[in-house]
Amino acid sequence: RDVAGLDFFSRCHLLDLPWEDVLVPHILCYLPLQHLVSLQRVSKQFHSLIQMYLANCRTFDLSSIGPSIPKEAFCSILKDNKLLHSLSLQNCSAWVTDKELLPVIGQNQHLQRVDMSGCVWLTRHSLVAVSLSCMHLQNLGLAHCEWVDSLSLRSLADHCRGLQSIDLTACRQLKDDAICYLAKKCLKLRSLSCAVNANITDESVEEVAKNCRGLEQLDLTGCLRVRNQSIRTLAEYCPKLQSLKVNHCHNVTESSLDPLRKRNVVIDVEPPLQRALVLLQDVLGFAPFINLQI
């Protein structure tokens, strides 16, 4: 019996296992994408198996290997998938354009998370396509996408009311009117970044504070025109705020930040005394003892 069993296993190949019940859900899901792409070249059977897996995967992340995949391969890999919930295109900025992305967006209407951060060759048409196709979108990354304009953001706000997180870092075409419109439409926003945009003023921050009461994270790094007034409004209307970034916001002072610190909100700038101690330590080479109770 033992000899017969050994003989059976010697003749049993990987592809003899049930594809849909074993290989796809319990084996292929643990392989990195680059290995799956390589497996496709082994044989026609492996190609069919990998295509079956890719057609049914819910998450597609190119953040670690984006530059190494040609655009033709990207189109081939996702051509049959209509079930994606999460799509990450970070680090694909060297080649991904509307031509490659629009078909993927159009056939994946269940997407909840899309990250296009740094994809500089896309245009506003990709954002409009996301807004029209992905009604269940919750998280969107658009950092350093300077092609994002007011009209495309308004389209997103009109159609994706359940949006919870959006990163608009360095989207420098956007001004107060676009951010205010977004805040009025997307009331469920919990995380927002308007960092590195000199167009953003107190008007945007106050509109976000008054409409998005569940806001937990706000990044205003480098928003030079933001002042204490809007930070006080933020403290009044957003009781769930956990994190605030105001580095390089030179018009925001401790008078507006102190009430937030007392609520244990994490703020990326130190209180004035601590900043002074750090500077003194840099100059002297050691931290002097100061009795803070005096």
Side-chain angles (χ1 to χ4, degrees), residues 15 43 96 129 157 166 215 251-252:
L15 293 176
S43 68
V96 70
I166 185 168
L215 193 70
N251 294 312
V252 175

Side-chain angles (χ1 to χ4, degrees), residues 4-25:
L6 289 173
D7 183 56
F8 168 77
F9 284 111
S10 67
R11 290 184 287 106
C12 182
H13 300 285
L14 178 65
L15 293 176
D16 293 331
L17 295 172
W19 289 15
E20 294 186 19
D21 297 329
V22 178
L23 293 181
V24 169

